[in-house]
Amino acid sequence: MTSSSSIFLQKHGDSRDVDDVEEMGILQMQRRRNKSYVSMFLNTLTPKFYVALTGTSSLISGLILIFEWWYFRKYGTSFIEQVSVSHLRPLLGGVDNNSSNNSNSSNGDSDSNRQSVSECKVWRNPLNLFRGAEYNRYTWVTGREPLTYYDMNLSAQDHQTFFTCDSDHLRPADAIMQKAWRERNPQARISAAHEALEINEIRSRVEVPLIASSTIWEIKLLPKCATAYILLAEEEATTIAEAEKLFKQALKAGDGCYRRSQQLQHHGSQYEAQHRRDTNVLVYIKRRLAMCARRLGRTREAVKMMRDLMKEFPLLSMFNIHENLLEALLELQAYADVQAVLAKYDDISLPKSATICYTAALLKARAVSDKFSPEAASRRGLSTAEMNAVEAIHRAVEFNPHVPKYLLEMKSLILPPEHILKRGDSEAIAYAFFHLAHWKRVEGALNLLHCTWEGTFRMIPYPLEKGHLFYPYPICTETADRELLPSFHEVSVYPKKELPFFILFTAGLCSFTAMLALLTHQFPELMGVFAKAMIDMFCSAELRDWNCQSIFMHLEDDLELPPAPQSPHFQN
């Protein structure tokens, strides 16, 4: 029985081996035939085909590189990387790390996240220019728009918040201005403001009891619309003097509305909202009048108006009038008064700004900058006053690292936007636009800044993760600044972003294909032979790998494994 079974297995095993050998021979013949077809196809190709192939590849990779570079400069990220992360990663089963780590975040992380969001908040520029008298004149001269649509849209939202309330429909002029603030067309806004000023009287019918059939009409003069004057002063006036005249008329109308609403503010929520609106209007008018006086050279008058305004309305800090006051006091070179204002507003509980940090640095640099010498300081070391000045500069640079390039005139200035992002490029432009003259007036201050400002970055190992005196630098500033600043301005980015991998990859691919195209164009015959040799080598290597794999599979089938030893408990 044993011999017959072994003969049967040997017979059938030999037949299986014969079938495997025949199948392997057929596959080898197909491989050789395919290889011969490929060789025949390659022999028919001319050198012009290789030139066209490499040239087209180089052109396509070059276009991809140009698009990637443009997208990176505009949006700060790689298009291919963004598409792969947004669309391909979910399809491949990627997991969002943010959602998995949210439950494990600590209270400190949540506090830092809230601080980062607050630092990325867009603020009203306290030193913003006048649209008609300054921004529009720049457009007439240069043909460029200094304000972006996003910036003007934020201003429209601010005007609706400050200058309107729910009771505007009760006064026809205010109802017209409520629509005017939402208009996108400047001419439509100006026309609506003129229409609001024309509605200054109404006629009310009064019946006479003695003669029931007769009536008389009583004429009541309504107060002028203060917000209409504001709009005309901001957008229609072509000079600062014209804007000041309109603001004075607005002050007369706004002061009357404020006094009337002040008496009625406790009669209900509607009157309280109206009084809050009238307060915002009055503060805005007085602040802009002070700025007009500053523009026209009446700086002492502007300082007095700002001080009176801050005393009258001490709780309205949203307008940041103290920054206007600091700039005017620096123009008067009243450095003791500047120090007094800084002592009040440079507090740890108050939000910082570039104006506060760099003004504090300027005052400390003023004490030592006239005698400061880098060579002498390197020999003898820094004195206590010089060390305080350097630390103040480092503090200011850490808060906003974009300012020094504008103060040192390493980068050109543009008109500041109407809104700024704290610690961003927009805030740096707004500060340097008005304070560059004050730094130049202090002898040696810019020299001290030039010698010491770059030392700040040695104190911050990784700005995106760590901070020294302030919270870590927010990563949202670049995106917001690109929305606030015009397209012709090159946005300053900190820290500098490394080039994405796909830009480097496309650059290398473009260079490689361009080199192949050039070599193919110069040496077509030689490159054709080289291409054929590479393809033949690839095909031969693939065939050899397949032969080796088939041989190993055949050897595995022929191996006879020894039987496993049986347990002594099962022996007969």
Side-chain angles (χ1 to χ4, degrees), residues 26 29 86 105 107 120 180 197 208 211 217 272 284 287 295 376 402 469 542 557 565:
I26 294 172
M29 291 177 62
S86 303
S105 59
N107 295 331
C120 292
L197 290 177
V208 180
I211 307 175
W217 293 88
E272 184 180 357
Y284 185 89
R287 172 176 163 268
R295 297 282 203 285
H402 310 283
L469 298 174
E542 185 179 0
D557 293 338

Side-chain angles (χ1 to χ4, degrees), residues 106-119 471-472:
S106 60
N107 295 331
D109 294 337
S110 60
D111 294 339
S112 62
N113 291 334
R114 286 195 295 268
Q115 179 67 21
S116 177
V117 171
S118 65
E119 286 187 354
Y471 283 92

Side-chain angles (χ1 to χ4, degrees), residues 384-396:
T384 304
E386 291 174 342
M387 183 64 69
N388 293 334
V390 171
E391 290 178 354
I393 290 176
H394 287 175
R395 172 176 178 262

Side-chain angles (χ1 to χ4, degrees), residues 326-343:
L326 285 174
E327 195 276 329
L329 291 174
L330 287 173
E331 179 64 21
L332 295 176
Q333 301 185 31
Y335 297 110
D337 295 336
V338 173
Q339 185 63 50
V341 175
L342 286 178

Side-chain angles (χ1 to χ4, degrees), residues 37 74 132 242 286 368 378-379 404 438 456 516 532 546 548:
Y37 289 157
K74 185 174 180 61
E242 294 179 9
K286 289 186 175 182
V368 298
S378 61
R379 289 195 305 267
H438 306 323
T456 309
L516 286 181
K532 294 176 183 178
W546 182 84
C548 293

